Amino acid sequence: QVQLVESGGGLVQAGGSLRLSCAASGSISNDNAMGWYRQAPGKQRKLVALITSGGSTNYADSVKGRFTVSRDNAKNTVYLQMNSPKPEDTAVYYCNIRVLWTLKSYDYWGQGTQVTVSS
């Protein structure tokens, strides 16, 4: 089992900045990917950004150039630096970790943190 604890959400003005953090604990394999997804009201949960244990990253087109995902492997913590957020970035942001054990992958989710961007 893996537990994820998120922090850093809240209200931010458009054009400002906000940083989300997510600390993982439990049975974490060396081969894993951590990332952020978001879900706006009435919409599906979608990938925002992820980073593998090797440092490879992947971003949604809508956040490229504005958001940066990073991680501290020693702390099993992933961060999402949100620069120049827009009102359309308003959503509940969920932390995710995908761990790989004996060729099977397992997904774990945080409880979600609300991010509201005011115009």
Side-chain angles (χ1 to χ4, degrees), residues 39-100:
Q39 187 169 19
K43 296 190 175 182
Q44 289 188 327
R45 189 176 300 186
K46 293 185 176 180
L47 173 70
V48 177
L50 66 81
I51 182 168
T52 68
S53 48
S56 298
T57 58
N58 188 26
Y59 292 91
D61 288 342
S62 59
V63 306
K64 284 180 180 177
R66 300 187 298 120
F67 292 5
T68 302
V69 64
S70 61
R71 63 187 289 166
D72 183 334
N73 287 334
K75 297 180 179 179
N76 288 321
T77 299
V78 63
Y79 306 96
L80 184 69
Q81 180 67 42
M82 305 171 62
N83 294 333
S84 301
K86 304 174 182 179
E88 51 263 44
D89 294 320
T90 296
V92 177
Y93 284 69
Y94 295 91
C95 177
N96 168 269
I97 184 170
R98 175 167 291 178
V99 298
L100 184 65

Side-chain angles (χ1 to χ4, degrees), residues 94-115:
Y94 295 91
C95 177
N96 168 269
I97 184 170
R98 175 167 291 178
V99 298
L100 184 65
W101 292 111
T102 59
L103 302 181
K104 293 183 69 176
S105 62
Y106 302 86
D107 280 295
Y108 298 91
W109 296 91
Q111 77 282 5
T113 185
Q114 177 70 46
V115 172

